[in-house]
Amino acid sequence: MAAAFRKAAKSRQREHRERSQPGFRKHLGLLEKKKDYKLRADDYRKKQEYLRALRKKALEKNPDEFYYKMTRVKLQDGVHVIKETKEEVTPEQLKLMRTQDVKYIEMKRVAEAKKIERLKSELHLLDFEGKQQNKHVFFFDTKKEVEQFDVATHLRTAPELVDRVFNRPTVETLQKEKVKGVTQQTRLKRIARERQKQYNCLTQRIEREKKLFVIAQKIQTRKDLLDKTQKVKVKKQTVNSPAIYKFQSRRKR
């Protein structure tokens, strides 16, 4: 019973696929239905029209015409290859953008900013290498005063202390007061190393705070793009800055 049912189902499928034909021509193969022939013929004609249009476009092409795609494609071994674009997002930024929310990134950035302010208040940035050097301008009335000018004499300090930006006592103070604080060279070097270590830590935290700020901006930009308002890209995304879009102004209801 089951075998007969399967045989009947196969016969119905065959009748659905192929067109009925006389028994003497079955050895010629499947006789397709007219609707299948029309679909195949329409597809063939469509492809031929497409090839004809491509041949016409190739014949009428101007070799001196400029295409914007030329700026992004180069010819390599006779094959057009798309140039690699600059890296827009670093792997670390991409990982944070996919796994973390903008509120978490902003919270970490604010924490870094507070640590930076605390370090700045402790170090005062007096001899920071990355700090812009201060300028001290002296004014004179005659050229003779300029020629005879001496910085140590004018500041009333020792010549060895002129280059200091802090702790620069005058000659009178040096004569009256005794030397206070640490005087051993080993301890002075250790203090200098510790201070330099703190400055290096400050530099790293400043860089981390900048990176977190850029990541937060990129995440916020992606959220803003979910808005269906019409927009135009003004500036492309880079490693150090998010993409800039100009949104169509809409009147608030």
Side-chain angles (χ1 to χ4, degrees):
M1 184 71 180
F5 181 77
R6 285 197 298 270
K7 187 175 181 180
K10 288 183 179 179
S11 63
R12 283 198 300 271
Q13 290 178 0
R14 181 180 295 177
E15 290 175 1
H16 179 71
R17 285 201 309 268
E18 63 183 70
R19 182 177 167 190
S20 59
Q21 56 182 334
F24 64 86
R25 71 168 308 281
K26 283 189 176 181
H27 67 280
L28 297 176
L30 180 68
L31 180 63
E32 62 180 349
K33 292 185 177 181
K34 185 175 181 180
K35 64 175 183 178
D36 297 329
Y37 164 75
K38 289 181 67 178
L39 291 173
R40 184 167 58 84
D42 292 341
D43 181 64
Y44 175 78
R45 283 194 294 269
K46 184 178 179 181
K47 291 177 180 176
Q48 291 298 318
E49 289 292 334
Y50 186 68
L51 291 174
R52 193 178 299 111
L54 288 177
R55 292 192 192 98
K56 183 179 179 182
K57 186 176 181 180
L59 290 173
E60 296 177 352
K61 181 182 178 181
N62 183 4
D64 298 327
E65 189 173 356
F66 172 77
Y67 296 92
Y68 282 101
K69 199 173 183 180
M70 293 178 180
T71 60
R72 297 183 287 107
V73 178
K74 63 180 179 179
L75 194 65
Q76 186 176 357
D77 298 332
V79 180
H80 290 280
V81 181
I82 299 177
K83 296 180 182 178
E84 294 182 359
T85 56
K86 293 183 179 179
E87 186 182 19
E88 296 180 353
V89 183
T90 60
E92 293 81 7
Q93 291 179 351
L94 189 61
K95 184 178 179 181
L96 278 175
M97 291 168 64
R98 286 178 175 176
T99 58
Q100 304 297 343
D101 188 59
V102 64
K103 292 183 179 180
Y104 172 79
I105 301 297
E106 190 64 22
M107 181 192 70
K108 298 295 287 184
R109 188 191 69 81
V110 171
E112 287 292 334
K114 290 181 178 179
K115 292 178 182 178
I116 289 169
E117 290 299 325
R118 187 169 64 252
L119 276 173
K120 284 183 177 180
S121 63
E122 293 175 358
L123 297 173
H124 303 292
L125 299 179
L126 295 176
D127 53 352
F128 185 42
E129 293 180 357
K131 181 176 177 290
Q132 186 177 0
Q133 296 295 328
N134 295 329
K135 294 182 179 180
H136 198 153
V137 182
F138 299 95
F139 296 92
F140 300 96
D141 296 330
T142 61
K143 292 184 178 179
K144 186 178 180 180
E145 292 179 354
V146 175
E147 295 173 356
Q148 297 177 354
F149 174 70
D150 182 59
V151 180
T153 305
H154 188 82
L155 297 176
R156 298 183 301 166
T157 186
E160 296 82 3
L161 305 178
V162 169
D163 295 333
R164 285 192 177 185
V165 294
F166 68 101
N167 193 15
R168 188 172 56 195
T170 60
V171 178
E172 293 82 0
T173 305
L174 291 172
Q175 292 174 354
K176 294 178 182 179
E177 300 289 339
K178 293 182 180 181
V179 178
K180 299 178 180 179
V182 180
T183 57
Q184 298 178 5
Q185 290 296 326
T186 54
R187 293 192 63 186
L188 289 173
K189 290 181 180 179
R190 183 167 59 83
I191 292 171
R193 285 196 301 269
E194 291 177 357
R195 184 167 61 246
Q196 186 60 41
K197 185 178 179 181
Q198 287 182 324
Y199 280 129
N200 294 338
C201 179
L202 175 62
T203 305
Q204 293 174 3
R205 291 193 180 279
I206 291 174
E207 290 296 325
R208 192 180 300 121
E209 192 269 338
K210 289 180 180 178
K211 290 179 181 179
L212 289 173
F213 179 71
V214 173
I215 293 171
Q217 284 189 323
K218 289 182 178 181
I219 295 176
Q220 188 61 44
T221 302
R222 290 192 177 186
K223 285 191 174 183
D224 294 340
L225 291 178
L226 298 177
D227 190 1
K228 296 182 179 180
T229 309
Q230 188 176 358
K231 48 195 167 291
V232 178
K233 182 184 283 188
V234 180
K235 186 179 178 181
K236 291 183 178 180
Q237 181 177 249
T238 61
V239 177
N240 299 321
S241 62
I244 299 176
Y245 292 86
K246 184 177 181 181
F247 289 81
Q248 183 182 9
S249 60
R250 296 177 63 180
R251 184 178 177 182
K252 293 184 179 179
R253 297 180 180 179

